[in-house]
Each structure stands twice: as structure tokens, then as C-alpha cells.
Amino acid sequence: MIRPVETVAALATFPLADMSAPPGKRVIGLAQNESAFPPSPRAIKAARAALERPTTYPDPGWHSLRHAIGGAYGLNPDLILCSAGSMDLIGALILAYVGPGDRLLSTAHGYGYFRTSALRAGAEYDAVPEPDLTVSVDLLLDAVRAGTRLVAVANPGNPTGTRIPRSAMVHLRDHLPDDVILLVDEAYAEFTDDLDEPVFDLVGRGNTVVTRSFSKAYALAGQRIGWGLFPPALAEQAVKLLTPGGVTQASLAAAEAAVQDRDYLAWLIRATTAIRETFSGGLTRIGLSPIPSHTNFVLVPFESEETAASAREALLTEAVIVRPMGAYGLPHCLRITVGPAEDMDLTLQILTDWKASPK
Ligand SMILES: *Cc1c(COP(=O)(O)O)cnc(C)c1O
């Protein structure tokens, strides 16, 4: 028998959403937090133009995109790394700094890829409870122990949709040992940027990394592109673990145009937020208690695991696919992505009928 590396053999495949639905119906996919709207028309045009020059490899240093991101966010382009989705940057950072015998610390309902990345690296994974489905930085600080090399939090959180205020994030960084890396995964942060609480400045301390994505508010999930702000020493190591030239030319072009189209981004966020609030209001009216969200999805608790499964079945019958939350320690919840308004109206209607019918 040909034997795989032990840590790999012990690893479960990362659980992506099950998108299967009854045949013959239009599938309404609300399980992967994809955008309700298309990307900026300028991004589509730029990606098309990039396909016209297919013979060259993409720029492995992502120069043009890094400068565009730096311009849009007021950051030093030299500190920016790009990759085929921010998951790759998260994985590379963890692989570079958390090894066998080390520990990665996160939270009970933290992003699943933190755990996968830790186990893949042969490290241990620790998680602290999230009272009220919100990250408690004090519980994180209490749980740091010998061997803890990296603390990972998503802000806003997935699947909770709740957020950690800047003051708490600064408190966390202030009280973590200097040699423990803080990874702040900001895949949904564009939805909260209007609160004006960026934490990019923490990267200047040399031990904090902030990652962002083009998959969510920029609507480019299909292009697989993300970025992160790294201290130079950490960037030097993480970059070794990225696939060289792994971001396609079309993705680079699309992302560059998207990040420069600030008006479209602002519009998309307003439009998505409006649909989310209407949908959440509807859920509340039928007696459910959606968790107030800072993202393009809503976490909806039900009475029990069985009730959540029953609601999911009802939705699935109409080919509406939402995400069960057992893998995130919330089996009584469903996570529902904010899709186009008509799809959310249908989803609400199905849940309304389901609520009214005896189970
Ligand atoms: C979607 C998501 C990501 C992945 O982003 P990609 O850039 O598509 O790899 C990272 N973190 C969280 C919390 C997410 O929900």
C-alpha cells in the first residue's frame, strides 16, 4: 500500500456546501455566501480583455493589483500579498508559522478553514466558546498557553455574522504575547467599512496579518482571488508557500478594476444590506430570531436540530439550498446567504408556509 503523510491521511476533506437539489427546478444557491449581484461591469470588461492575451503568464508579483488595492484602502502596496482566494493566504501563513506540536487558537464557531489549516500543518487546534455568538477577546486571551503560535479570528464572523469592535481587537493585540501571531480574516469587512474601524494599522506591529477577499462584496467568488496585509518578515515566509503565478491574469484584471470602482462597491453593499434587512425583518415577523448580521448572510437559530433540518428540507423541496451548521457547532441553526430580492422573497414565503404547517 502506498502510504500518505500521516497528517494528510488523518485530515477530513474540507466540507464545502452540498449543492444538490431536486431535478427540474431552478437551483437557488444560498449556501456559500456568494454575491446577490454581479461584479462591477468594469471588472467583467477587464477580465474579458485579459483573455485576449492568453499566451503570457500572469505577473507573479501582482504589481498592478497591489497598487490599486493600496490606493483604494490607503495602504502600502509593498505589504500586500495576493493569492487564488484568501483561503490560500490563510493556509500559507499557518503552514509557515504553526508546525507539529504547536497550537492554533480560534473560537467555537470560527471559520472552518482555520482548523483545517492547523491540522494540515500537524498542529493542535483549540477553540474558546463564543457567548452570544460573538467572539470574546478575554476568553481568547485566557486560553493562550504554551505552544500557542497563532490566534485566528474572522471579523465579521462566519457563520455568526457578528463583529468584533476595533477597541476589542486592539485590546486582544495589546495583551497577546508579542510572539503570537494574530490573524484577522476580514472576508466580509467591506460590509462594515462604513463604521470606519479598520485594523490595518496593527500590521505595523510586525505580528498581525489582515486578510481580505474579492469573493464576497466584490462578487468575484468564481475568479478565486484574495489579498492580505502582511508584516514584511511574515510575507517573506508565507509567499514561499503560495503557488508561483497562481492568480490568473483574468482574475488580476477583474480584481484591479473592481477595487477601483468604489461607487459600484458602495452600491452593491447598500443593495445587499437592504435585502438582508428586509429578509431578516420577515423572519422576525414569522417568529424566528435571526442574528443581527454585518455580512451578506444571516444565521437563523431554530428550536432544535430537528426543526432546523425540517426547515432545510422544506426549502430544499423548492431547490433553495441553505447551509446546515452542524460542522460549525450550531446544529440548530441554518446559515442563509443574502441572494437577489426575489429569491429571498421566495425563501421567506417557503419558511412562512413551513411555520404555519403542522410538523
Ligand atoms: C468566504 C470566506 C473566505 C474565503 O475567501 P476566498 O477569498 O474566496 O478564499 C475566508 N474567510 C471567511 C470567513 C469566509 O467566509
Side-chain angles (χ1 to χ4, degrees):
M1 185 182 136
I2 303 174
R3 275 200 301 191
V5 173
E6 234 172 82
T7 44
V8 176
L11 201 62
T13 308
F14 186 67
L16 292 170
D18 176 2
M19 298 305 287
S20 44
K25 298 209 174 194
R26 180 175 75 94
V27 172
I28 299 179
L30 305 177
Q32 304 196 98
N33 300 343
E34 292 141 337
S35 174
F37 299 98
S40 155
R42 285 163 59 180
I44 296 170
K45 193 167 163 228
R48 281 216 180 95
L51 289 175
E52 303 288 328
R53 33 188 176 87
T55 56
T56 56
Y57 278 111
D59 170 13
W62 330 285
H63 290 92
S64 195
L65 174 59
R66 278 165 45 206
H67 280 86
I69 294 169
Y73 289 88
L75 302 171
N76 177 356
D78 295 342
L79 304 182
I80 293 170
L81 293 185
C82 302
S83 68
S86 59
M87 290 173 87
D88 264 3
L89 282 177
I90 292 166
L93 176 73
I94 291 170
L95 209 50
Y97 286 95
V98 189
D102 294 337
R103 318 189 71 88
L104 185 148
L105 175 62
S106 189
T107 59
H109 315 303
Y111 184 45
Y113 202 62
F114 299 149
R115 182 169 182 274
T116 295
S117 300
L119 300 185
R120 185 177 71 161
E124 304 291 322
Y125 178 81
D126 301 317
V128 295
E130 289 187 51
D132 301 327
L133 298 175
T134 305
V135 170
S136 156
V137 299
D138 290 325
L139 288 183
L140 279 171
L141 288 168
D142 286 347
V144 173
R145 50 192 270 198
T148 303
R149 299 288 308 275
L150 187 146
V151 174
V153 289
N155 193 29
N158 172 16
T160 59
T162 59
R163 73 180 276 280
I164 310 165
R166 177 185 156 82
S167 54
M169 202 64 90
V170 173
H171 180 86
L172 176 61
R173 181 65 274 175
D174 282 347
H175 292 84
L176 278 177
D178 285 342
D179 61 355
V180 171
I181 296 173
L182 174 61
L183 166 61
V184 190
D185 171 357
E186 295 194 332
Y188 300 93
E190 278 76 17
F191 291 102
T192 62
D193 276 345
D194 60 324
L195 297 173
D196 200 22
E197 293 199 345
V199 296
F200 290 124
D201 57 306
L202 295 180
V203 175
R205 301 195 190 184
N207 49 16
T208 302
V209 170
V210 179
T211 56
R212 290 219 174 188
S213 177
F214 282 98
S215 300
K216 309 291 163 49
Y218 289 103
L220 288 169
Q223 302 308 312
R224 306 305 303 125
I225 181 156
W227 62 278
L229 196 70
F230 281 66
L234 274 55
E236 190 185 333
Q237 304 307 322
V239 80
K240 297 177 192 172
L241 297 167
L242 298 175
T243 305
V247 187
T248 70
Q249 211 148 243
S251 301
L252 288 170
E256 181 177 342
V259 82
Q260 288 170 331
D261 197 346
R262 306 312 288 168
D263 289 345
Y264 186 85
L265 176 71
W267 171 81
L268 187 144
I269 288 167
R270 271 200 312 277
T272 304
T273 307
I275 298 172
R276 182 188 72 207
E277 291 310 301
T278 301
F279 179 64
S280 293
L283 292 177
T284 306
R285 270 197 304 284
I286 63 169
L288 294 168
S289 308
I291 308 301
S293 170
H294 292 278
T295 64
N296 68 334
F297 61 82
V298 185
L299 185 70
V300 188
F302 291 82
E303 272 160 38
S304 66
E305 177 171 357
E306 291 69 33
T307 326
S310 158
R312 181 170 167 241
E313 273 308 308
L315 291 165
L316 203 52
T317 308
E318 299 303 322
V320 176
I321 305 177
V322 301
R323 194 72 170 261
M325 288 282 107
Y328 281 86
L330 297 164
H332 66 298
C333 295
L334 297 175
R335 192 192 69 193
I336 306 179
T337 302
V338 176
E342 59 276 19
D343 292 349
M344 301 321 283
D345 290 346
L346 174 64
T347 301
L348 180 61
Q349 189 54 56
I350 296 166
L351 287 173
T352 306
D353 295 345
W354 167 82
K355 261 261 170 198
S357 72
K359 279 169 282 291

Coordinates of all heavy atoms in Angstrom, one line a residue, residues 32-33 84-88 90 111 114 154 156-158 185-188 211-216 221 224-227 297 335, ligand 1:
Q32 N -23.3 29.5 0.1 CA -21.9 29.8 0.0 C -21.5 31.2 0.1 O -20.4 31.6 -0.3 CB -21.3 29.2 -1.3 CG -21.6 27.7 -1.4 CD -20.7 27.0 -2.4 OE1 -19.7 26.4 -2.1 NE2 -21.0 27.1 -3.7
N33 N -22.5 32.0 0.5 CA -22.2 33.5 0.7 C -21.7 34.2 -0.6 O -20.9 35.1 -0.5 CB -21.3 33.7 1.9 CG -21.9 33.2 3.1 OD1 -23.1 32.9 3.2 ND2 -21.1 33.0 4.2
A84 N -4.8 33.0 -4.9 CA -6.0 32.5 -5.5 C -7.1 32.2 -4.5 O -7.3 31.1 -4.1 CB -5.7 31.2 -6.3
G85 N -7.7 33.3 -3.9 CA -8.6 33.2 -2.8 C -7.8 33.5 -1.5 O -6.7 33.1 -1.4
S86 N -8.5 34.2 -0.6 CA -7.8 34.5 0.7 C -7.5 33.2 1.5 O -6.6 33.1 2.3 CB -8.5 35.5 1.5 OG -9.8 35.1 1.8
M87 N -8.3 32.1 1.2 CA -8.0 30.8 1.9 C -6.6 30.4 1.7 O -5.9 29.9 2.6 CB -8.9 29.8 1.3 CG -10.4 29.9 1.7 SD -11.4 28.7 0.8 CE -11.3 27.3 1.9
D88 N -6.0 30.7 0.5 CA -4.7 30.3 0.2 C -3.7 31.0 1.1 O -2.6 30.5 1.6 CB -4.3 30.5 -1.2 CG -4.5 29.2 -2.0 OD1 -5.0 28.2 -1.4 OD2 -4.2 29.2 -3.2
I90 N -4.4 32.3 4.1 CA -4.6 31.9 5.4 C -3.8 30.6 5.6 O -3.1 30.4 6.6 CB -6.1 31.7 5.7 CG1 -6.8 33.1 5.7 CG2 -6.3 30.9 7.0 CD1 -8.3 33.0 5.6
Y111 N -14.2 30.3 11.6 CA -14.1 29.8 10.2 C -13.5 28.4 10.1 O -12.4 28.3 10.6 CB -13.4 30.9 9.4 CG -13.3 30.6 7.9 CD1 -14.4 30.2 7.2 CD2 -12.1 30.7 7.2 CE1 -14.4 29.9 5.9 CE2 -12.1 30.5 5.9 CZ -13.2 30.1 5.2 OH -13.1 29.9 3.8
F114 N -9.6 27.6 9.4 CA -8.5 27.8 10.4 C -8.2 26.4 10.9 O -7.0 26.1 11.1 CB -9.0 28.7 11.5 CG -9.4 30.1 11.2 CD1 -10.4 30.7 11.9 CD2 -8.8 30.7 10.1 CE1 -10.7 32.0 11.6 CE2 -9.2 32.0 9.8 CZ -10.1 32.7 10.5
A154 N -12.2 35.6 12.5 CA -12.8 36.2 11.3 C -13.6 37.4 11.9 O -14.4 37.2 12.8 CB -13.7 35.2 10.6
P156 N -16.1 40.6 10.2 CA -17.1 39.9 10.9 C -17.0 38.4 10.8 O -16.3 37.9 9.9 CB -18.4 40.3 10.1 CG -18.0 41.6 9.5 CD -16.6 41.5 9.1
G157 N -17.7 37.7 11.7 CA -17.5 36.2 11.8 C -18.4 35.5 10.8 O -19.5 36.0 10.4
N158 N -17.9 34.4 10.4 CA -18.7 33.4 9.6 C -18.7 32.1 10.3 O -17.6 31.6 10.6 CB -18.0 33.2 8.2 CG -18.7 32.1 7.4 OD1 -19.8 31.7 7.7 ND2 -18.0 31.7 6.3
D185 N -9.2 37.6 9.8 CA -9.7 37.3 8.4 C -10.9 38.2 8.2 O -12.0 38.1 8.8 CB -10.1 35.8 8.5 CG -10.9 35.4 7.3 OD1 -11.2 36.2 6.4 OD2 -11.3 34.2 7.2
E186 N -10.7 39.2 7.3 CA -11.8 40.2 7.0 C -12.5 39.9 5.7 O -12.7 40.9 5.0 CB -11.2 41.6 7.1 CG -10.6 41.9 8.5 CD -10.3 43.4 8.6 OE1 -10.0 44.1 7.6 OE2 -10.4 43.9 9.8
A187 N -12.9 38.7 5.5 CA -13.5 38.4 4.2 C -14.8 39.2 3.9 O -15.1 39.5 2.8 CB -13.8 36.9 4.1
Y188 N -15.4 39.6 5.0 CA -16.7 40.3 4.9 C -16.6 41.8 5.3 O -17.6 42.5 5.5 CB -17.8 39.7 5.8 CG -18.1 38.2 5.3 CD1 -17.4 37.2 6.0 CD2 -18.9 37.9 4.3 CE1 -17.6 35.9 5.6 CE2 -19.1 36.6 3.9 CZ -18.5 35.6 4.5 OH -18.7 34.3 4.1
T211 N -6.4 39.6 6.4 CA -6.7 39.1 5.0 C -8.1 39.7 4.6 O -9.0 39.9 5.4 CB -6.7 37.6 4.9 OG1 -7.6 37.1 5.9 CG2 -5.3 37.1 5.2
R212 N -8.2 39.9 3.3 CA -9.5 40.3 2.7 C -9.7 39.4 1.4 O -8.8 38.8 0.9 CB -9.5 41.8 2.4 CG -9.5 42.6 3.6 CD -10.4 43.8 3.4 NE -10.5 44.5 4.7 CZ -11.4 45.6 4.9 NH1 -12.1 46.0 3.8 NH2 -11.5 46.2 6.0
S213 N -10.9 39.5 0.9 CA -11.3 38.7 -0.2 C -12.0 39.5 -1.3 O -12.6 40.5 -1.0 CB -12.3 37.6 0.3 OG -12.7 36.8 -0.8
F214 N -11.9 39.0 -2.5 CA -12.7 39.6 -3.6 C -13.9 38.7 -3.9 O -14.7 39.0 -4.8 CB -11.8 39.7 -4.9 CG -10.9 40.8 -4.9 CD1 -9.6 40.7 -4.6 CD2 -11.4 42.1 -5.2 CE1 -8.7 41.8 -4.6 CE2 -10.5 43.2 -5.2 CZ -9.2 43.0 -4.9
S215 N -14.1 37.7 -3.0 CA -15.2 36.8 -3.3 C -16.6 37.3 -2.8 O -17.6 36.8 -3.3 CB -15.0 35.4 -2.6 OG -13.8 34.8 -3.0
K216 N -16.6 38.1 -1.8 CA -17.8 38.5 -1.2 C -18.4 39.8 -1.7 O -19.1 39.8 -2.6 CB -17.6 38.5 0.4 CG -17.0 37.1 0.9 CD -17.9 35.9 0.8 CE -17.3 34.6 0.9 NZ -16.4 34.3 1.9
A221 N -16.3 35.6 -6.5 CA -16.0 34.3 -5.9 C -15.5 33.3 -7.0 O -14.6 32.5 -6.7 CB -17.3 33.7 -5.3
R224 N -11.6 33.4 -7.8 CA -10.6 33.0 -6.8 C -9.5 34.0 -6.7 O -8.4 33.8 -7.2 CB -10.0 31.6 -7.2 CG -11.0 30.5 -7.4 CD -12.0 30.3 -6.3 NE -11.3 30.0 -5.0 CZ -11.5 30.8 -3.9 NH1 -12.3 31.8 -3.9 NH2 -10.9 30.5 -2.8
I225 N -9.8 35.0 -6.0 CA -8.7 36.0 -5.7 C -9.0 36.7 -4.3 O -10.1 37.1 -4.0 CB -8.6 37.0 -6.8 CG1 -7.4 38.0 -6.5 CG2 -9.8 37.7 -7.2 CD1 -6.8 38.6 -7.7
G226 N -7.9 36.8 -3.6 CA -7.9 37.4 -2.3 C -6.6 38.1 -2.0 O -5.7 38.0 -2.8
W227 N -6.5 38.9 -0.9 CA -5.3 39.6 -0.6 C -5.1 39.7 0.9 O -6.1 39.5 1.6 CB -5.2 40.9 -1.3 CG -6.3 41.9 -0.9 CD1 -7.6 42.0 -1.4 CD2 -6.2 43.0 0.1 NE1 -8.3 43.0 -0.8 CE2 -7.5 43.7 0.1 CE3 -5.2 43.5 0.9 CZ2 -7.7 44.8 0.9 CZ3 -5.4 44.6 1.7 CH2 -6.7 45.2 1.7
F297 N -24.9 37.4 4.7 CA -25.7 36.2 5.1 C -26.3 36.4 6.5 O -26.0 37.4 7.2 CB -24.8 34.9 5.1 CG -23.6 35.1 6.2 CD1 -23.9 34.8 7.5 CD2 -22.4 35.5 5.8 CE1 -22.8 34.9 8.4 CE2 -21.3 35.6 6.7 CZ -21.6 35.3 8.0
R335 N -27.6 28.7 8.0 CA -27.0 30.0 7.5 C -27.5 30.2 6.1 O -27.4 29.4 5.2 CB -25.5 29.9 7.5 CG -24.8 31.2 7.3 CD -23.3 31.0 6.9 NE -23.1 30.4 5.6 CZ -22.0 29.9 5.2 NH1 -20.9 29.9 5.9 NH2 -22.0 29.4 4.0
Ligands
LIG1 C1 -15.5 33.2 2.1 C2 -14.6 33.3 3.2 C3 -13.2 33.2 3.0 C4 -12.7 32.7 1.7 O1 -12.4 33.7 0.8 P1 -11.8 33.4 -0.6 O2 -11.1 34.7 -0.8 O3 -12.9 33.1 -1.5 O4 -10.8 32.2 -0.4 C5 -12.3 33.4 4.0 N1 -12.8 33.6 5.3 C6 -14.1 33.6 5.6 C7 -14.5 33.8 7.0 C8 -15.0 33.4 4.5 O5 -16.3 33.3 4.8

